[in-house]
Amino acid sequence: MLSNDARAMINYVNAILNNKVQDHDIPEIAEGDADFLELKESLRSIKLWEKMTRDSEARHRLMTENASDIIATVDLSGNFTYISPSVEKMTGYTPDEVKNHYREIGYFLPGVQKEMDRQRMRIKAMVEKGQRFDHLNFEQRQVRKDGVSIYTDTVLSGIYDEHNNFRELLAISRDITDKVKIRKKIIELAETDKLTNLYNRVKLDDTLEHELSRAKTRAATFALIMIDIDDFKQINDCFGHLAGDLVLFELAKLFKAMIRSADLIGRWGGEEFMIILRDTDASGAMKLAEKIRKGVCQKQFLEHQHITISLGVTVFSDDATVYSIIYRADQALYQAKKNGKNQVCLI
């Protein structure tokens, strides 16, 4: 059976732990006892630490639940262990839908999901080897629940405990849709001819380099059509430069309407245009060129005036440089002019 002194000590310790102790409640047996005073301070430190921990957890929970960014934790099996309420505001999906059904609802686009799974397996292999994973940053397009596309920037990092043991992944995603739109607009302005709204020479050069590389590495092919307006100087001299600009603008619309979505057309300079035809042989390129030539002949410009164009066609043929392809197309165009204009030539 406990003595009265022992019971008094136990009650006092419980009072400390429950924040109900008063200074005058100290048991007589404990007054002036150094060990007891040390125990008392230790217990009070524990209570203070618990309070600080609770306050810290409450602050973190408040910040997480009210953040505009999406905050999520993911295990190495690809399962969400937490996702913040902000996911619904950004994507339209509830935290439960994303946490438990993100694959079924297509929260990530197929290509993005495949890449994320690949990166997750890479990170898992690093962790299993004892290597530290710091962070990974990537942009992606997502489709909201209502079908609207958004763009997000995600920082993925590892969460480690005080012993440097990996716990799980932390993902913080921010909506950068406006930023991406501005960036795309800047690129568009840099690649677009102001007068015709077609691509400019910068874009044409880049595309030719890409197609040349593709043709060499993948045994693919592509064709090139160079177009020049016949006697364009006479149009400017007779009707003025504004009328000449209008002809260029109207021709650009006509050309764009007659090519495939896979083709790329741009203003090469002055009254010259270039069309890059992906996966097209000589026969296909000649057929399109003739179709365009006839379309221009049939269209009326400048108060019922008709104009004509000449076209030079060439096809990739083990070319070492972009220059050699352009040179052949230009020579074909020169031949069409020399033969009397308003015709198509192939070299």
Side-chain angles (χ1 to χ4, degrees):
M1 181 178 294
L2 293 174
S3 66
N4 290 335
D5 287 340
R7 187 176 289 107
M9 284 291 292
I10 291 173
N11 290 337
Y12 188 71
V13 169
N14 284 330
I16 292 176
L17 292 175
N18 290 292
N19 296 319
K20 295 181 179 180
V21 69
Q22 302 291 330
D23 288 338
H24 62 267
D25 292 336
I26 300 176
E28 293 182 6
I29 189 175
E31 290 183 356
D33 187 282
D35 291 336
F36 171 76
L37 291 175
E38 184 177 346
L39 171 63
K40 176 182 175 183
E41 290 305 314
S42 295
L43 291 174
R44 283 182 169 173
S45 296
I46 290 172
K47 293 303 296 179
L48 178 60
W49 176 254
E50 289 178 345
K51 182 179 183 303
M52 290 173 63
T53 300
R54 286 196 303 271
D55 291 346
S56 177
E57 289 176 347
R59 285 196 298 272
H60 281 94
R61 185 168 58 252
L62 185 66
M63 291 169 61
T64 301
E65 292 180 353
N66 289 276
S68 58
D69 295 344
I70 298 174
I71 301 173
T73 53
V74 185
D75 63 26
L76 288 179
S77 295
N79 302 310
F80 281 98
T81 56
Y82 172 81
I83 190 157
S84 60
S86 52
V87 69
E88 186 166 7
K89 182 178 179 181
M90 192 181 299
T91 71
Y93 292 107
T94 66
D96 178 71
E97 286 177 312
V98 177
K99 185 177 179 182
N100 299 309
H101 309 285
Y102 76 94
R103 289 184 185 269
E104 296 94 313
I105 63 178
Y107 182 71
F108 300 114
L109 295 176
V112 174
Q113 183 65 68
K114 183 178 180 180
E115 176 61 19
M116 290 178 69
D117 287 340
R118 189 185 71 82
Q119 290 292 348
R120 178 173 51 79
M121 295 305 296
R122 182 181 68 85
I123 295 167
K124 184 177 181 181
M126 290 177 61
V127 172
E128 290 174 347
K129 292 178 182 178
Q131 299 173 351
R132 187 179 180 89
F133 168 67
D134 290 321
H135 71 277
L136 176 69
N137 179 256
F138 58 91
E139 291 184 12
Q140 62 166 318
R141 182 173 73 88
Q142 290 186 254
V143 179
R144 286 174 43 90
K145 193 173 184 178
D146 59 9
V148 175
S149 290
I150 62 171
Y151 291 85
T152 57
D153 178 77
T154 299
V155 177
L156 188 67
S157 57
I159 300 176
Y160 290 81
D161 62 20
E162 64 274 16
H163 302 295
N164 205 33
N165 295 316
F166 178 87
R167 305 300 298 176
E168 54 189 347
L169 295 168
L170 172 67
I172 301 177
S173 299
R174 174 164 296 180
D175 188 336
I176 58 167
T177 304
D178 290 340
K179 175 183 175 182
V180 171
K181 286 181 178 178
I182 293 172
R183 187 171 63 204
K184 285 184 175 181
K185 187 64 178 178
I186 291 172
I187 294 173
E188 180 184 328
L189 290 172
E191 296 179 339
T192 303
D193 176 64
K194 293 181 180 180
L195 175 59
T196 62
N197 290 326
L198 298 179
Y199 286 118
N200 60 21
R201 190 159 181 167
V202 172
K203 178 65 174 180
L204 289 168
D205 284 338
D206 288 344
T207 303
L208 282 171
E209 291 285 358
H210 173 77
E211 289 301 319
L212 179 64
S213 175
R214 178 174 171 269
K216 289 179 177 180
T217 58
R218 301 185 184 180
T221 189
F222 68 97
L224 207 60
I225 301 176
M226 292 284 287
I227 304 172
D228 184 80
I229 303 173
D230 296 331
D231 304 314
F232 186 69
K233 185 177 182 301
Q234 293 182 17
I235 297 174
N236 283 328
D237 291 343
C238 294
F239 299 98
H241 288 281
L242 290 179
D245 289 348
L246 179 60
V247 167
L248 292 172
F249 180 76
E250 291 296 325
L251 274 175
K253 288 200 302 182
L254 178 62
F255 295 155
K256 199 168 184 179
M258 299 180 77
I259 64 174
R260 304 171 304 178
S261 59
D263 301 330
L264 186 140
I265 182 168
R267 186 181 179 192
W268 186 246
E271 66 271 22
E272 287 189 332
F273 299 84
M274 177 187 287
I275 304 175
I276 303 171
L277 308 171
R278 195 177 194 187
D279 298 320
T280 303
D281 58 16
S283 175
M286 287 294 288
K287 184 177 179 180
L288 176 62
E290 184 60 25
K291 177 183 175 182
I292 291 173
R293 187 194 66 79
K294 289 180 179 179
V296 173
C297 287
Q298 295 168 1
K299 184 175 175 60
Q300 294 182 344
F301 298 86
L302 304 174
E303 300 177 357
H304 310 296
Q305 295 293 318
H306 289 273
I307 65 172
T308 63
I309 58 173
S310 297
L311 304 93
V313 179
T314 194
V315 179
F316 169 78
S317 178
D318 297 326
D319 292 278
T321 65
V322 166
Y323 172 78
S324 63
I325 309 170
I326 296 174
Y327 177 79
R328 281 204 312 279
D330 192 57
Q331 287 299 300
L333 176 60
Y334 173 78
Q335 189 64 45
K337 292 281 191 182
K338 186 177 179 181
N339 291 348
K341 306 176 184 178
N342 189 26
Q343 57 186 278
V344 180
C345 282
L346 170 69
I347 293 181

